[in-house]
Amino acid sequence: MKVGIVGLGLIGGSLGLALRSHGHTVLGVSRQSHTCRRAIDRGAVDDASLDHSLMHATDVVFLCTPLAVMQATVVELVPHLAAETVLTDVGSVKGWVVETIAPLWANFVGGHPMAGTAESGIEAALPDLFTHAPYVLTPTETTPARAVQLVEALVQPLQTQIYHCHPDDHDRAVAWISHLPVMTSASLIAACIGEANPTVLELAHALASSGFRDTSRVGGGNPELGVMMARYNQAALTRSLHAYRNTLDQVITHIEHSDWRSLEALLKQTQQARSDFL
Ligand code: NAP
């Protein structure tokens, strides 16, 4: 197929590398000419341009820009697309994206590959980023079946695991497993650095090891991405944060009241439940 990618960063570049290795022709559009040149040099695209007209003869276009510019990008892009071209996106939030983009292009299906790294930009792109990763598609009642089939025909051979769900269910689920962990991990770091005693803080810096590395990892990532999660998934994230705060209050109560039996019951429950997620 002839595939278009708009936004040649970590996700767009990785998709290009993977799709080209499966024999597809990949054309890219990005914001900076330097990125376009690097995408060609790295083999992520057959050709790239700053001009959306390069997308005119594509079968499927993947929108891989940051969430904040997706709507404006689609407005610029659609005059260049053939009516039968399928448009999909890779945004980490689906309710807002589907509500905003579906009215602009009938052949649209929302998507979200659940893979990433702490890096960004074309240099960070990896050919096997999506291997064995979940790939969520969020068709609605108005999404043409052909749009879903074409996107699946491209991403399934990359050894992704495809899931279909409603955009709002997607957003509630990723609030729990992706967006809430970023906020709680960031809050953990923020609370630690609030330690008023400099000797204790210095000692904590020196002693931090694997436990702190694991629990602080997602809170020490790209601030822009964290703000995007909160901004575009505000309702679901707020709901999860309130539920998390209630659970934290329960833990505090158990500890303050030396209620070790209740604390142990909770920790036993979480020890068992963790394996259902991973
Ligand atoms: P990224 O590495 O920063 O790449 C985004 C690219 O978009 C940049 O390289 C930039 O290209 C380009 N861009 C920015 N504004 C543009 C515009 N107006 N027109 C065309 N291109 C533009 O970010 P990313 O991590 O790939 O994220 C891209 C999308 O994937 C986001 O919507 C995000 O929600 C989603 N996502 C991210 C992850 C993750 O873990 N990172 C995982 C799943 C989904 P230039 O270099 O040319 O400026």
Side-chain angles (χ1 to χ4, degrees):
M1 275 194 247
K2 202 176 233 188
V3 180
I5 296 179
V6 179
L8 296 169
L10 168 67
I11 302 293
S14 299
L15 261 178
L17 288 167
L19 291 170
R20 283 194 77 225
S21 76
H22 280 73
H24 300 289
T25 301
V26 178
L27 302 172
V29 167
S30 212
R31 185 180 46 175
Q32 305 180 69
S33 45
H34 167 75
T35 302
C36 293
R37 275 196 304 277
R38 283 300 295 148
I40 295 170
D41 292 348
R42 288 210 55 200
V45 292
D46 292 276
D47 196 8
S49 166
L50 304 183
D51 189 341
H52 287 101
S53 64
L54 188 63
M55 300 286 115
H56 80 278
T58 48
D59 301 299
V60 177
V61 174
F62 287 84
L63 191 56
C64 301
T65 66
L67 288 165
V69 297
M70 274 192 186
Q71 184 178 17
T73 303
V74 172
V75 168
E76 258 188 72
L77 172 68
V78 294
H80 302 284
L81 298 184
E84 62 277 9
T85 298
V86 168
L87 180 64
T88 186
D89 77 299
V90 298
S92 316
V93 172
K94 294 276 58 85
W96 177 83
V97 169
V98 172
E99 257 171 45
T100 309
I101 307 299
L104 300 174
W105 193 249
N107 266 324
F108 171 76
V109 58
H112 180 199
M114 303 288 303
T117 70
E119 311 299 320
S120 60
I122 185 64
E123 301 303 340
L126 299 168
D128 58 355
L129 185 67
F130 307 108
T131 310
H132 305 310
Y135 200 114
V136 187
L137 293 175
T138 60
T140 63
E141 315 76 59
T142 57
T143 307
R146 179 180 159 272
V148 179
Q149 285 155 10
L150 274 192
V151 176
E152 283 186 351
L154 286 169
V155 301
Q156 195 140 43
L158 310 184
Q159 297 183 64
T160 59
Q161 279 185 291
I162 295 179
Y163 293 88
H164 285 196
C165 66
H166 190 276
D168 295 340
D169 290 341
H170 166 276
D171 289 355
R172 287 180 64 174
V174 298
W176 282 121
I177 53 88
S178 176
H179 303 173
L180 176 66
V182 168
M183 300 307 153
T184 55
S185 174
S187 304
L188 167 75
I189 302 170
C192 286
I193 60 176
E195 168 58 54
N197 182 324
T199 309
V200 174
L201 183 59
E202 200 178 316
L203 191 58
H205 284 157
L207 300 184
S209 183
S210 56
F212 193 80
R213 184 179 304 117
D214 291 347
T215 51
S216 66
R217 184 177 65 81
V218 293
N222 183 348
E224 237 174 84
L225 266 185
V227 173
M228 287 300 134
M229 291 168 179
R231 183 167 165 192
Y232 293 99
N233 200 17
Q234 191 177 20
L237 177 57
T238 308
R239 189 187 176 125
S240 295
L241 277 164
H242 282 296
Y244 179 76
R245 187 162 65 185
N246 289 341
T247 309
L248 201 55
D249 282 341
Q250 265 178 32
V251 171
I252 292 171
T253 304
H254 296 333
I255 295 172
E256 279 179 347
H257 293 143
S258 304
D259 183 356
W260 312 129
R261 193 193 291 245
S262 298
L263 182 63
E264 187 179 0
L266 185 140
L267 293 176
K268 273 188 176 154
Q269 193 189 22
T270 57
Q271 185 185 36
Q272 278 170 14
R274 185 171 185 263
S275 61
D276 291 340
F277 290 91
L278 298 166

